[in-house]
Amino acid sequence: MFTNSDVSMQNKLKIINDPVHGFIRIPHEILFDIIEHPYFQRLRRIGQTGLLNLIFPGATHTRFHHALGAMHLMFTALETLKQKGVKISEEEEKGAMLAILMHDIGHGPFSHALESMLMDDWHHETLSLLLMNRLNEEFNGELSCAIEMFQGKYHRKFFNQLISSQLDVDRLGLKAMVTIGCHSRKFSWKKKDPTWQMRSNSTRKQICSALIPKIRNT
């Protein structure tokens, strides 16, 4: 018989085998709890690429899949910054990973393709923030740091740049997914290495060169 005590003792530090990024670690239990929540699980049925799969049958990625990849890229970006001497606390690491994990939680059917038709003057980020606040109440304030980073209110502004900017982990993950889903020959990031995305010297240099000068001023 499966009891509540079994749930509380469950190992939540999982490893996911992802077709785009290879092995994805879940290094904090709160990340697993959010992934298991119904608000997040609904993303399994929300298409990432809108109507693109009608042209490219391989472009069938979901917001669930995309969010896990973005979380992985955030973890790898933070590890890279730590190696460069940037001090990042465990609380900040959890906050940044939670923020990017939930950044698209408010998306509706077909993502951007039908957003303006389903809701007048209502952006998915507004709904994402609403759901984040509800989850924060449910998890007794554990998401407060993540919400501050998501809104750009956290005092170390580079975290928000990693979540939402011209060079954020969201866009890096999307570029990889669409490239593979559309079978494009322009990019050869993946090759045979499951950690291809962030081990790429150019990608690593882009993130570090863009962020480190600003981080040193915070």
Side-chain angles (χ1 to χ4, degrees), residues 35 40-41 43-46 62-69:
I35 291 170
F40 192 84
Q41 286 292 316
L43 297 181
R44 288 181 182 272
R45 300 179 297 278
I46 304 295
T62 65
R63 287 285 164 185
F64 181 89
H65 186 192
H66 167 66
L68 291 178

Side-chain angles (χ1 to χ4, degrees), residues 152-206:
K153 295 180 179 179
Y154 192 69
H155 65 281
R156 302 182 78 185
K157 300 298 182 183
F158 74 90
F159 284 108
N160 179 258
Q161 290 179 307
L162 282 171
I163 296 162
S164 179
S165 70
Q166 292 302 309
L167 186 63
D168 57 37
V169 295
D170 178 23
R171 295 179 191 224
L172 290 174
L174 177 60
K175 186 176 183 181
M177 275 190 176
V178 173
T179 298
I180 292 172
C182 297
H183 306 291
S184 171
R185 295 185 180 180
K186 282 188 176 181
F187 305 96
S188 57
W189 289 357
K190 192 174 184 182
K191 300 197 182 254
K192 295 180 180 178
D193 187 348
T195 58
W196 54 277
Q197 175 76 47
M198 291 300 297
R199 293 178 81 176
S200 160
N201 287 333
S202 61
T203 304
R204 188 188 296 268
K205 287 177 182 177
Q206 275 183 311

Side-chain angles (χ1 to χ4, degrees), residues 7 67 83 104 116 171:
V7 175
Q83 291 171 13
D104 278 344
S116 59
R171 295 179 191 224

Side-chain angles (χ1 to χ4, degrees), residues 80-81 84 167 201-216:
T80 301
L81 291 172
K84 297 291 183 179
L167 186 63
N201 287 333
S202 61
T203 304
R204 188 188 296 268
K205 287 177 182 177
Q206 275 183 311
I207 289 179
C208 291
S209 62
L211 287 177
I212 287 179
K214 297 177 183 179
I215 294 170
R216 286 173 177 160

Side-chain angles (χ1 to χ4, degrees), residues 4-65:
N4 289 334
S5 61
D6 293 326
V7 175
S8 63
M9 295 174 64
Q10 182 181 5
N11 177 17
K12 299 178 181 180
L13 306 181
K14 305 291 186 181
I15 296 177
I16 299 169
N17 190 0
D18 183 84
V20 176
H21 302 285
F23 292 112
I24 293 177
R25 287 182 56 206
I26 301 178
H28 304 290
E29 291 189 355
I30 184 63
L31 294 169
F32 179 85
D33 291 333
I34 294 299
I35 291 170
E36 288 290 283
H37 196 279
Y39 289 175
F40 192 84
Q41 286 292 316
R42 64 179 280 276
L43 297 181
R44 288 181 182 272
R45 300 179 297 278
I46 304 295
Q48 164 76 15
T49 54
L51 303 174
L52 189 63
N53 67 307
L54 298 178
I55 302 171
F56 297 98
T60 56
H61 317 293
T62 65
R63 287 285 164 185
F64 181 89
H65 186 192

